[in-house]
Amino acid sequence: MRLSYVLCGERITVTGFAEVKVTRRLILLFAAISILLVGISVASLLYLNYTINKLSESLYDDVYQNSELILNADRDLYQAAVALHTAMNPNTTESELKELTQLFEDNNTQIEERVNTARYNINSIEKPYNVMHKGELQLTELKRELSSFEASFGEWKDTGSSLIIRRSQEGWDPASFSAVLTNTQLNDIRSRLDNSEDLIDRYAQEVTTVFQDKKSSLFALYSLLLFLLILVIIYLGRKIIKLQSEMLEEQTMYQLIGETMSDYIILTDPNGLIIYASPSHLSILGYVPKKGTPLSNYIREPEISWAKLKSVVQGTPRMSELRMRGAEGHWVWLETKVTPITGSRSFAAQFMLVSREITQRKQYEERLHKLAFYDHLTAIPNRAHFKMYMENLISQPEEHQQEIALALLDCDRFKQLNDTLGHLAGDEFLQILSRELQQTVKGAGQAFRIGGDEFAVVIHRFNNPGILDEILSRLLQLFSKSWPINNGSSFITSASIGVALFPQHGSSINELLRAADLAMYRSKKNGGNEANLYDKRMDEEVPDQTSGRN
């Protein structure tokens, strides 16, 4: 992903520095997956070969099991024929005849069992055998041979049983036994067994041949697919390696730009952790912010500054002014362009900060600000600052508004100080008074010099009238003391204080000033050294008194 921003009138493309590592991980992951796929393919191929061989051997064994049954049946048939011919011998004793008869019957029973088992097995043969046309013909002929065998064998067995029964009877004539007839029947039966055995053997060979052909076809197809998979893996691997090489070249170029340009670049993740900081920071900070550390570690008032940065994630790039801590503990002002970088699944959202030093400009602005809003003699806020301060307080939303007390203070007998000790002594007194006035109201409000020996105190951090009375009492005590002036001289003064409350006595600055001025006039009229809270009767007492303050 490439990210662009406008800097010094030129468009510079910056690559996310995390992309190279991500691409390397992707290459390793792709290589691992490729090896795994090839391994699975080879293992599958070997397993397929093993399965087909096992299946082929199993089918082959099943077929030859039937062949063994036929061979055993032929052996039993021979044993039965020998027992029959021996039983027909005139010299055979009665006990021998009984044994031969039992042997004849037992062999015939075994023949029937073996052949019936073979017939059942052959009749049960289904797929994959019957997918072979030649094999189907062989199975059909085999079934026919076994059926013919059953009929011939039944006839021969009945003939043999009949001969043995007659042989056991008295008066049996040996000349009545015809060995030629029984041998002819026997040869016919054995020929059918031989044919069946031959058909089973040919069918087994056919099964083996077909399975070998199918295995060869599957191996060829699977080998082709494996070969294609390897080609695809090689192609994609080369493309990724090429992309990695291009990204490394681009990263080197962009890093060179970042290291040689005079601006200061910082890239952070969504949580404010630094991903990259340009070496140019060394020239103004004395160090380069460390990768992986929170940006808030280097910014003054980090919770406020970082909130500002995060607020632009949903918006567009904007300029901000930040202060970063230098190596010697000093603060460096930076004008910073904060750019949110939209993330994706593989690239998290980030912040890009491109900064320029503006410390001298901020110092100049600060001097201008002091000249505009601070009294040049006493260094406390002036009338302009007072109006801005009051406007900010009374313009708060209704749910955030708080009760405000505006106290106007006038120094009694200040003109006498100027006339007796001179204006330099008066200036020194005002400077000392202003410092102590600030300390007296610290934590409760703010003091302002609004002209000459007249001061305003805005009190807005009090919960009940008792606290306000206590603050006014401290103010009266502050004025009512001896002030060391002009290298050993002293000056004793007091204050006339008028107080107006917001919103009870006015909703604007002018209304509050007028009310406080009338209350202060009441204090002066009473001889000074007191504080009075405005009420409506003061308007009647001094109908021509108007503040005229703006």
Side-chain angles (χ1 to χ4, degrees):
M1 178 182 294
R2 294 182 179 178
L3 311 169
S4 300
Y5 65 95
V6 177
L7 182 61
C8 302
E10 300 180 358
R11 179 168 292 275
I12 299 178
T13 304
V14 178
T15 303
F17 295 95
E19 284 194 10
V20 173
K21 289 186 177 181
V22 171
T23 306
R24 289 174 181 170
R25 292 175 183 174
L26 287 176
I27 291 176
L28 293 176
L29 180 61
F30 178 78
I33 293 176
S34 300
I35 294 173
L36 180 63
L37 288 176
V38 172
I40 292 175
S41 301
V42 172
S44 300
L45 197 61
L46 295 176
Y47 180 74
L48 177 64
N49 178 56
Y50 172 78
T51 303
I52 291 178
N53 286 338
K54 291 294 291 184
L55 183 59
S56 177
E57 292 174 3
S58 176
L59 296 174
Y60 190 83
D61 291 342
D62 289 344
V63 171
Y64 271 95
Q65 183 181 8
N66 297 323
S67 177
E68 185 177 356
L69 289 172
I70 298 299
L71 285 174
N72 289 333
D74 184 64
R75 186 188 65 244
D76 293 337
L77 181 63
Y78 174 78
Q79 294 293 335
V82 171
L84 177 61
H85 281 274
T86 305
M88 292 299 103
N89 190 334
N91 297 324
T92 302
T93 63
E94 184 175 350
S95 60
E96 291 175 343
L97 179 61
K98 288 181 179 180
E99 291 179 1
L100 292 171
T101 300
Q102 187 63 43
L103 180 62
F104 177 77
E105 291 177 353
D106 290 343
N107 282 308
N108 286 335
T109 300
Q110 289 183 359
I111 292 170
E112 288 180 341
E113 290 178 353
R114 296 182 194 280
V115 174
N116 286 336
T117 301
R119 285 184 62 190
Y120 176 80
N121 292 338
I122 292 171
N123 288 331
S124 299
I125 293 178
E126 295 178 356
K127 293 181 180 181
Y129 307 112
N130 58 8
V131 298
M132 304 175 295
H133 179 67
K134 186 175 180 180
E136 288 182 355
L137 295 177
Q138 291 171 341
L139 281 178
T140 302
E141 185 177 357
L142 176 59
K143 293 175 182 178
R144 186 168 53 248
E145 282 293 334
L146 290 176
S147 297
S148 299
F149 167 80
E150 185 177 7
S152 300
F153 175 72
E155 183 179 351
W156 181 80
K157 184 179 67 171
D158 291 342
T159 301
S161 298
S162 177
L163 289 173
I164 290 175
I165 291 173
R166 289 201 298 271
R167 168 69 178 81
S168 62
Q169 294 176 350
E170 293 183 2
W172 174 72
D173 183 8
S176 63
F177 171 67
S178 174
V180 176
L181 177 61
T182 55
N183 288 336
T184 300
Q185 291 177 336
L186 180 63
N187 290 334
D188 179 63
I189 296 171
R190 296 194 67 183
S191 65
R192 296 189 183 280
L193 288 177
D194 291 339
N195 288 337
S196 297
E197 184 180 353
D198 182 60
L199 287 171
I200 290 173
D201 184 63
R202 282 186 290 163
Y203 181 74
Q205 293 178 1
E206 178 67 15
V207 168
T208 303
T209 301
V210 170
F211 266 92
Q212 290 296 331
D213 293 342
K214 288 186 178 296
K215 184 175 75 171
S216 299
S217 300
L218 287 174
F219 262 73
L221 177 61
Y222 212 99
S223 299
L224 178 61
L225 293 176
L226 180 59
F227 178 71
L228 293 176
L229 175 62
I230 293 175
L231 288 181
V232 170
I233 290 174
I234 293 174
Y235 172 77
L236 293 177
R238 293 183 62 182
K239 292 289 288 186
I240 292 178
I241 293 173
K242 182 179 178 181
L243 177 62
Q244 169 75 358
S245 177
E246 292 176 353
M247 289 184 64
L248 286 174
E249 293 177 1
E250 290 181 359
Q251 183 202 11
T252 302
M253 179 179 64
Y254 299 143
Q255 190 168 358
L256 179 63
I257 293 173
E259 291 176 354
T260 56
M261 68 190 306
S262 59
D263 292 298
Y264 314 106
I265 301 174
I266 289 180
L267 197 66
T268 74
D269 68 6
N271 298 317
L273 297 180
I274 296 175
I275 298 175
Y276 169 81
S278 63
S280 53
H281 286 86
L282 184 63
S283 61
I284 58 166
L285 300 179
Y287 64 91
V288 178
K290 293 182 180 180
K291 178 180 178 182
T293 58
L295 178 62
S296 57
N297 287 359
Y298 306 100
I299 299 178
R300 188 172 185 179
E301 299 174 345
E303 69 283 353
I304 298 176
S305 301
W306 184 238
K308 289 180 180 179
L309 296 182
K310 297 193 74 172
S311 68
V312 303
V313 172
Q314 303 300 331
T316 57
R318 75 177 187 190
M319 301 301 296
S320 298
E321 292 182 353
L322 304 175
R323 278 180 288 182
M324 295 190 71
R325 187 187 297 276
E328 297 178 358
H330 63 287
W331 292 100
V332 178
W333 275 100
L334 299 173
E335 184 181 60
T336 302
K337 182 179 182 180
V338 183
T339 304
I341 302 172
T342 305
S344 64
R345 291 185 179 179
S346 59
F347 185 58
Q350 298 174 346
F351 293 107
M352 180 179 293
L353 289 77
V354 182
S355 307
R356 292 180 179 178
E357 185 184 5
I358 57 169
T359 302
Q360 290 184 354
R361 191 186 84 186
K362 293 299 293 185
Q363 290 173 348
Y364 177 71
E365 290 176 355
E366 186 176 353
R367 287 195 297 270
L368 290 179
H369 178 77
K370 286 185 176 181
L371 288 174
F373 294 101
Y374 287 84
D375 182 62
H376 69 282
L377 176 63
T378 63
I380 69 171
N382 59 13
R383 176 185 288 272
H385 198 162
F386 163 74
K387 288 185 176 182
M388 182 177 66
Y389 192 85
M390 285 292 294
E391 187 65 36
N392 183 55
L393 289 176
I394 66 179
S395 62
Q396 291 290 324
E398 185 175 353
E399 62 272 13
H400 294 150
Q401 283 185 353
Q402 53 187 323
E403 191 171 24
I404 303 169
L406 169 60
L408 292 182
L409 298 84
D410 189 77
C411 183
D412 300 329
R413 297 184 296 280
F414 179 71
K415 185 176 183 300
Q416 179 183 352
L417 172 63
N418 280 336
D419 292 341
T420 56
L421 297 179
H423 289 282
L424 291 179
D427 290 345
E428 183 182 354
F429 166 72
L430 290 176
Q431 290 172 344
I432 298 172
L433 174 63
S434 296
R435 288 196 296 270
E436 296 202 17
L437 182 61
Q438 284 280 57
Q439 289 297 320
T440 301
V441 300
K442 186 176 181 181
Q446 177 67 48
F448 304 86
R449 184 188 180 202
I450 59 177
D453 61 339
E454 191 173 357
F455 295 86
V457 174
V458 179
I459 305 168
H460 56 91
R461 298 187 181 96
F462 62 95
N463 298 325
N464 55 69
I467 297 178
L468 178 58
D469 292 340
E470 180 184 347
I471 295 173
L472 294 175
S473 177
R474 292 206 306 263
L475 291 174
L476 289 173
Q477 291 175 8
L478 171 66
F479 279 81
S480 300
K481 69 179 183 179
S482 178
W483 299 87
I485 300 296
N486 200 13
N487 295 325
S489 300
S490 62
F491 173 66
I492 299 174
T493 185
S494 61
S496 296
I497 303 176
V499 182
L501 301 179
F502 171 85
Q504 295 93 319
H505 302 151
S507 59
S508 68
I509 298 175
N510 287 338
E511 291 175 354
L512 292 170
L513 278 172
R514 179 182 180 279
D517 198 35
L518 290 174
M520 185 180 69
Y521 180 79
R522 164 78 68 83
S523 298
K524 277 187 172 291
K525 183 179 177 182
N526 293 339
N529 194 30
E530 70 176 24
N532 281 286
L533 182 65
Y534 168 79
D535 64 51
K536 292 183 178 180
R537 289 176 296 179
M538 294 177 181
D539 295 320
E540 300 174 357
E541 294 175 0
V542 193
D544 296 328
Q545 177 72 16
T546 57
S547 65
R549 301 178 188 277
N550 294 308

